[in-house]
Amino acid sequence: MKALVLEEYNKLIYKDVPDPVILPDEVLIRIRACGICGSDVHGLDGSTGRRIPPLIMGHEASGIIEVTGSAVTKWKKGDRVTFDSTVYPLDDWYTREGRYNLSDNREVMGVSPGEYRRNGAFAEFTAVPQHILYKIPDSVTFEQAAMVEAAAVALHAVNISGMKAADNCAVTGAGSIGIFVIKLLAIFGAGKIIAIDNIPLKLKAAKDNGADSTFEPSEMNLEEKIKSITNSRGADISFEAAGNSETVNIAVDIVRKGGTVVLIGNTAKVIEFPLQKVVTKEIRVQGSCAIRGEYDVILKLLENKKLKVDDQISVVAPLSEGASWFGKLYLKEGNLKKVILIP
Ligand SMILES: [Zn+2]
């Protein structure tokens, strides 16, 4: 098959590789769309340590089942599917507790951090176990289905935030995950939705997708301005989708006493943490990792047209041109949102 292979750091080659071999509980999927994730772009130069070459990246994908393993019963050739980015073991304590995103020995599609190498979906075919598959509704396109992973990451954060209708919510970082958080907060009936980002274009996107107010982090008296639109208290919940010291500190500054800060972004390994503010404001800090079954809800929201994802797709291009699109994303050329590659 043809695949886009990270042969060494900063070197993506479109070339022939052997077809994946499936295990009895796996299916072989003919990939029809695979989105480039920010983590793939960051992984390109080796800076994250999670894409050790050689590797076929890609974990935001959809396609058609081509072959089923001997132990696969619920799926058949021709089924339109997408799949979780996490391949998790079924015989694990966390999985049995209903927290498979935290399971020991889980692997991520298209990632090779050292302990394992799991080829992903920038290829004609990929192999995945049957228990991570989701059926794509007829009215949802393959390109839309390739956006489900990113939206599900955002939904997981909203789900574990404890957000209730009319809660005032702030979102720091209006990149792709931040925008999906904003879209979902609007769908779920948040009160005020406040977006913070240092790029005006992203703030405009936040507004277009449901934010009531937007601010740059450098804005004078930011905390006071946000209090003035949230009953003099601050946001009930802060969603942090950038992941560095500055934005985490802003998220803590603008949440009300007794509020919740949900940490989604994890760009920096270590940050300066505002210990005294968190303690004296009695803030709940909640990490949010990946996805825990949110695919079904996102697919339903796509099917009933409540959630729109097309506006987040900038380009649909052939996989053979993948290297040049990766290059543009790496150099942040042209304000690209999601780039989807088609084998
Ligand atoms: Zn991703």
Side-chain angles (χ1 to χ4, degrees):
M1 66 170 182
K2 290 278 190 216
L4 187 67
V5 182
L6 182 67
E7 291 222 301
E8 50 191 85
Y9 288 128
N10 300 312
K11 191 174 168 197
L12 278 166
I13 307 284
Y14 181 68
K15 61 182 249 190
D16 284 305
V17 299
D19 286 358
V21 177
I22 57 168
L23 298 170
D25 71 333
E26 291 185 335
V27 301
L28 187 71
I29 300 173
R30 179 182 288 278
I31 297 299
R32 294 292 303 271
C34 184
I36 302 179
C37 176
S39 65
D40 296 326
V41 178
H42 291 303
L44 199 59
D45 63 7
S47 57
T48 66
R50 289 181 55 78
R51 304 287 193 282
I52 300 171
L55 177 71
I56 301 169
M57 298 192 285
H59 57 266
E60 303 178 352
S62 62
I64 300 171
I65 293 178
E66 180 82 11
V67 180
T68 56
S70 55
V72 174
T73 50
K74 290 198 197 115
W75 301 92
K76 59 179 193 310
K77 181 178 160 75
D79 284 345
R80 300 168 79 242
V81 292
T82 180
F83 47 86
D84 203 308
S85 50
T86 302
V87 179
Y88 54 93
L90 291 169
D91 60 343
D92 175 85
W93 186 84
Y94 290 98
T95 304
R96 291 193 302 271
E97 288 288 300
R99 308 182 81 179
Y100 73 77
N101 57 324
L102 306 179
S103 59
D104 289 328
N105 302 313
R106 70 189 187 282
E107 299 183 354
V108 181
M109 293 292 294
V111 168
S112 55
E115 310 88 73
Y116 66 86
R117 163 168 291 112
R118 171 67 77 161
N119 278 330
F122 290 127
E124 277 181 277
F125 297 102
T126 199
V128 305
Q130 59 177 339
H131 66 270
I132 69 166
L133 293 172
Y134 293 86
K135 185 183 184 317
I136 303 174
D138 292 343
S139 63
V140 176
T141 67
F142 289 113
E143 289 83 358
Q144 289 166 339
M147 300 295 286
V148 171
E149 203 261 353
V153 167
L155 178 56
H156 181 58
V158 174
N159 278 347
I160 65 173
S161 73
M163 176 256 185
K164 302 183 299 298
D167 274 352
N168 294 318
C169 296
V171 181
T172 44
S176 119
I177 300 295
I179 292 290
F180 278 124
V181 170
I182 290 167
K183 283 175 183 270
L184 291 163
L185 289 173
I187 292 169
F188 295 155
K192 292 259 166 51
I193 302 174
I194 301 151
I196 296 153
D197 199 291
N198 54 9
I199 300 175
L201 212 67
K202 290 193 176 175
L203 292 180
K204 187 186 172 301
K207 269 240 154 100
D208 293 344
N209 284 287
D212 301 291
S213 314
T214 62
F215 298 96
E216 294 197 28
S218 58
E219 180 120 1
M220 295 284 281
N221 305 319
L222 180 63
E223 204 179 321
E224 291 311 311
K225 280 179 184 152
I226 288 175
K227 273 190 175 164
S228 74
I229 53 174
T230 53
N231 313 311
S232 312
R233 289 196 290 266
D236 297 300
I237 304 173
S238 265
F239 293 90
E240 206 301 294
N244 56 61
S245 278
E246 188 196 11
T247 53
V248 171
N249 276 274
I250 290 172
V252 169
D253 284 344
I254 63 178
V255 81
R256 68 163 166 82
K257 286 180 275 188
T260 296
V261 175
V262 181
L263 302 178
I264 315 165
N266 64 352
T267 318
K269 265 207 174 84
V270 173
I271 57 154
E272 204 156 296
F273 188 75
L275 175 67
Q276 293 187 333
K277 274 185 197 159
V278 169
V279 172
T280 57
K281 287 173 78 176
E282 212 167 74
I283 288 166
R284 182 168 74 103
V285 177
Q286 171 72 60
S288 179
C289 176
I291 296 158
R292 183 148 77 222
E294 284 84 4
Y295 273 66
D296 276 331
V297 174
I298 295 293
L299 286 163
K300 180 63 83 181
L301 291 171
L302 289 177
E303 185 181 23
N304 64 24
K305 313 263 185 258
K306 289 218 164 66
L307 176 67
K308 304 219 172 353
V309 295
D310 293 346
D311 58 311
Q312 297 305 303
I313 301 172
S314 293
V315 177
V316 177
L319 182 62
S320 56
E321 295 173 9
S324 87
W325 288 106
F326 261 92
K328 288 186 176 63
L329 287 165
Y330 188 81
L331 297 171
K332 296 185 165 55
E333 280 175 12
N335 294 310
L336 291 167
K337 293 182 211 171
K338 187 64 71 185
V339 174
I340 290 183
L341 301 175
I342 310 278

